[in-house]
Amino acid sequence: RFQACVYFASVFQAMSCGIHYLASVFMAVTPNFVCGIPGNVSSVLFYNSSESSIEDIWTLWTSTENYIVVQLENGEVWELNQCSRSKREVSLDLAYEYRGNKSILSCSDGFLYDDTKWRSTVVTQWDLVCDREWLAKLIQPTFMLGVLIGAVIFGDIADRLGRQRVIWFTSAGQFVFGIAVAFTFDYYSFVIVRFLLAMVSSGYLVVAFVYVTEFVGIKARTWASMHVHAFFAMGIMVVALVGFLVRTWWLYQIFLSIATLPFVLCCWMLPETPFWLLSEERYDDAQKVINIMARWNKVSSPFKVSELCSVQQDDLVGGRTGDDDTSSTKKHNILDLFCNWHIARRTITVWLIWFTGSLGYYVFSLSSVSLGGNEYLNLFLIGAVELPCYIIACIAMDKLGRRNTLIPFLILSALICVLIMFIPQDFNILIILANMAGKFSIGVAFGLIYLYTAELYPTIVRSLAVGSGSMMCRVGSVVAPFCVYLRSIWIFMPLLLVGIMALLSGILTIMLPETLGKPLTNTLAEATEMGRNKKSCSGKTSPAHSGAALEKIEMFGQETVSTEK
């Protein structure tokens, strides 16, 4: 009961990470627009349609190449394009086609925006169009850069100061910075505050992953850790719902930020994890937490920390007398992931899968609002499809194996990307369903790679391997927004890139060894042997090594998640 309460309280706040990660899909949308005009409009002409105001023309607007002809109250006739305007020298009558002389001018009077869908966005607030369009395109990449930096900083702080303090700070920071974004006074303050919001959001997700894993028992650890992603997906669904109901960007941001306020108000009640307290030799504090857990779970005789301490002392003495070589441990670095050809090939493949999973995940998510139809429903479905995705991943990885699950879903996502290119653009429902299938397949691969990476590497470099893979994941998330912007060059360019990367990753994964049911390796030699002879690792390990692996299984979960996400 205690673990369940801690788990659901912690992962509830993980929804806020999904919320802030995808909030910009509606907050930074660019509506239809044309140059502003220096006067009051008396009549408007768009092809054969004549209206009294520009607002009535937006329903007829179909292309950025279109222009609007307006006549002012003083008799002047202007042609309004998106990034320029022309004043007709001769304005005897109001006609759409004109072959006389024109004076081409810049948009010095601002812009007129279509507010039928959104009353206000950050683009309309600060005119991030035309020569300032690149500023709008930097909003999501700078946020993802903050995610990368936050994961590194707060992951390290959590190991030094404890999980509890970081959870308090980052959850409160998400609320404070989330509200602060709505009250920023210019574009640059907006980007800076969102960068800080990205850091604390990423920091919370990293530490919450470790926090719940250190409380959950080993039997439920796989399912519990995988479904942290599911609550992240629920945050994406909240973005779609709030975006549909609130059409002013700063109100939209405030509502998103207060969605998880209940956790901020009660997160101070969450205890520190016994794992971290024991690692810091704070045995009395650890015993207090264990006693609280015992009372909640109605255990009459709680575990005594003193018993564990005596066992550890015996193991330490036995280890020193049994093997003098272990007293001087070698400090490992990133180069150890390329110590020989087999490990180097494995590392390159694993990094590529991390990058591809993150790239595909965010490309499908960010581009969902551009698929046609109802963009709010599209994003909601893209988030909802993840919920069964992680259930399938948990079942398949335990029944079929890690590699045998990863390969078909990577290749399937590549085939779906190709299939979408051949679907006619008029078939909106079919396109949306195909994108949901693509998000589902890449989501399975993305969720599975965390555990698979940890099992592919020996104990001495396991955290290093997962940490470096996580960094490649963050690189993919930074690249993803730029990949989505390539739709302006060719509408299928993002899908083509994701498809190529997924196919290449799927093919290279064939060369990776299966790890299901095999003992964890402790040395690089054992890990290399697992790659060379897949049968030899099923049972032919030295007794000392296999015993050490079994003894470290419980700590394995803690070690692998310390650098996840």
Side-chain angles (χ1 to χ4, degrees), residues 28-33 113 121 123 128-129 133 136:
V29 67
T30 302
N32 295 324
F33 67 93
Y113 296 96
T121 71
V123 172
L128 305 180
V129 293
E133 181 183 11

Side-chain angles (χ1 to χ4, degrees), residues 296-307:
W296 275 64
N297 296 337
K298 298 182 178 180
V299 176
S300 57
S301 55
F303 176 79
K304 301 297 182 183
V305 173
S306 57
E307 298 176 3

Side-chain angles (χ1 to χ4, degrees), residues 100-171:
N101 294 328
K102 305 176 187 177
S103 298
I104 301 177
L105 303 172
S106 62
C107 300
S108 57
D109 292 295
F111 300 87
L112 301 173
Y113 296 96
D114 177 10
D115 60 359
T116 54
K117 281 189 176 181
W118 277 83
R119 296 182 62 85
S120 171
T121 71
V122 294
V123 172
T124 64
Q125 181 90 14
W126 297 305
D127 289 334
L128 305 180
V129 293
C130 297
D131 58 340
R132 288 168 57 86
E133 181 183 11
W134 65 276
L135 294 174
K137 291 185 175 181
L138 282 179
I139 290 175
Q140 188 66 16
T142 53
F143 184 91
M144 288 301 182
L145 183 61
V147 168
L148 190 155
I149 296 174
V152 175
I153 292 177
F154 287 105
D156 181 64
I157 293 176
D159 287 337
R160 296 173 183 270
L161 302 181
R163 289 77 164 99
Q164 182 191 49
R165 293 179 183 178
V166 175
I167 282 182
W168 289 354
F169 178 80
T170 53
S171 57

Side-chain angles (χ1 to χ4, degrees), residues 37-43 70-78:
I37 44 177
N40 296 323
V41 177
S42 61
S43 58
V70 298
Q71 187 172 35
L72 306 185
E73 292 179 348
N74 60 9
E76 294 179 351
V77 178
W78 291 76

